[in-house]
Amino acid sequence: MSIYFVKNPEGLNPKGAHVGRVSAGVSGSEQLMQALEAALRLPASFERTWDSLSKSLRDLSWLPAGRITLIHDELPPLSPEDLSTYLHVLEESAGSWRGRTDYALDIVFAKKHRHRVLAPLADIRPRSPWRRLKAELDSSSVRDELQFISQKFDGFEFVMNIVEQRDGSTRQIRNALFLAFRMRGWDRERFARALPSLCVHESLELREQATWSLLVLLSHNKTIPGERIPNDDVPSCVELLHKAIALGVQENLEALAHKYLAGTF
């Protein structure tokens, strides 16, 4: 899915994206439509209906090409029926842009509303073979790695949802991050955006896997076309390395980090 959950959406301002924001205090579907109209500069043809909203979000041609991020400071207080309809419109519209190179649409809610957002979407969340594959992520090594990779973009989407939403055990999240790294060609920027919080995570397992991934990306950033750090933000990545080392990682990983920082890796 293209729905993300963060602790503090009010303070979120993703770099390089056109940000539309639905502020707290919006009440009812009519006010929500007005807020969306202003946040996304919806065209004059927008009719303030769910169908019209879906049509608009599948177009986006009036906005500059690139990543569009719609942030909800709070979950709009809609009736259960309207909330379900709205969330389905968001998920299906965002999904229509997956794999495209002209636009991407991300939807953001507060982490505290995660279950209220996902419950109405339960009928469209991936099931088989995902349930069995997720169970495989609990293994000490990802034995069925090729099964995930064979799912192509859907497999990448699946493991990235686990990474971004912390949806699983520590081992599942770590193994999902490893797989997402292997499959990052589907969306390198999305993968890179997931690393900062994990590089300073309290879990040593997650911190080490994220730090190793960051080191590889930094190394590739110099030599491999297409493996650019988003926004060429190498200084921030280097700062992350220092923080990860300060929190503690395995000796061999720390040695590699120091080699990179010294310019010898």
Side-chain angles (χ1 to χ4, degrees):
M1 295 199 304
S2 298
I3 295 180
Y4 306 99
F5 301 91
V6 300
K7 185 174 182 181
N8 179 28
E10 299 95 331
L12 183 65
N13 188 25
K15 294 180 180 179
H18 173 86
V19 176
R21 190 176 297 276
V22 177
S23 301
V26 171
S27 179
S29 59
E30 181 61 27
Q31 284 191 17
L32 175 60
M33 294 292 181
Q34 293 174 6
L36 291 168
E37 197 170 21
L40 297 175
R41 296 184 286 177
L42 296 177
S45 58
F46 178 58
E47 298 175 352
R48 296 186 181 178
T49 65
W50 299 123
D51 286 343
S52 184
L53 178 62
S54 177
K55 182 179 179 181
S56 296
L57 293 180
R58 292 167 185 262
D59 181 358
L60 301 177
S61 59
W62 62 91
L63 292 173
R67 186 167 295 277
I68 314 299
T69 303
L70 179 61
I71 301 172
H72 298 76
D73 290 344
E74 284 291 342
L75 187 65
L78 305 174
S79 68
E81 181 180 353
D82 280 347
L83 180 60
S84 178
T85 301
Y86 178 52
L87 293 172
H88 276 80
V89 166
L90 293 179
E91 167 58 17
E92 291 164 7
S93 300
S96 70
W97 294 105
R98 290 172 193 155
R100 297 278 295 271
T101 58
D102 45 356
Y103 289 94
L105 177 60
D106 295 335
I107 312 297
V108 178
F109 289 97
K111 188 176 290 187
K112 64 182 179 182
H113 296 311
R114 179 173 181 273
H115 293 293
R116 290 185 63 194
V117 170
L118 293 182
L121 298 174
D123 58 322
I124 63 172
R125 298 189 76 193
R127 294 190 174 102
S128 181
W130 306 118
R131 187 174 299 166
R132 178 180 57 79
L133 291 177
K134 185 174 179 183
E136 289 292 340
L137 289 174
D138 259 329
S139 63
S140 57
S141 62
V142 186
R143 294 172 300 197
D144 287 344
E145 176 182 334
L146 292 178
Q147 294 189 45
F148 285 89
I149 294 176
S150 70
Q151 300 293 328
K152 299 182 180 179
F153 179 80
D154 286 340
F156 176 76
E157 182 80 4
F158 176 69
V159 293
M160 281 303 300
N161 281 335
I162 292 174
V163 169
E164 292 164 336
Q165 299 171 19
R166 311 293 196 267
D167 184 16
S169 66
T170 297
R171 180 171 291 176
Q172 284 178 330
I173 298 168
R174 182 199 66 190
N175 289 339
L177 180 62
F178 168 78
L179 283 167
F181 173 81
R182 291 291 305 275
M183 303 171 72
R184 65 191 183 281
W186 290 105
D187 192 339
R188 286 182 172 84
E189 288 196 13
R190 180 178 177 186
F191 175 77
R193 288 200 306 272
L195 292 180
S197 61
L198 290 172
C199 284
V200 294
H201 198 277
E202 60 185 11
S203 163
L204 177 62
E205 290 181 81
L206 296 182
R207 190 163 66 245
E208 289 183 336
Q209 185 64 50
T211 303
W212 175 82
S213 299
L214 181 64
L215 269 173
V216 175
L217 291 184
L218 283 167
S219 177
H220 288 181
N221 187 61
K222 300 178 180 179
T223 58
I224 300 179
E227 288 276 23
R228 305 293 295 175
I229 296 294
N231 304 313
D232 287 331
D233 196 11
V234 174
S236 294
C237 294
V238 169
E239 184 180 350
L240 269 178
L241 280 184
H242 285 291
K243 290 180 179 179
I245 292 170
L247 288 170
V249 293
Q250 287 184 2
E251 185 176 344
N252 60 341
L253 184 59
E254 182 177 351
L256 284 176
H258 283 303
K259 282 185 177 181
Y260 175 83
L261 294 171
T264 59
F265 173 64

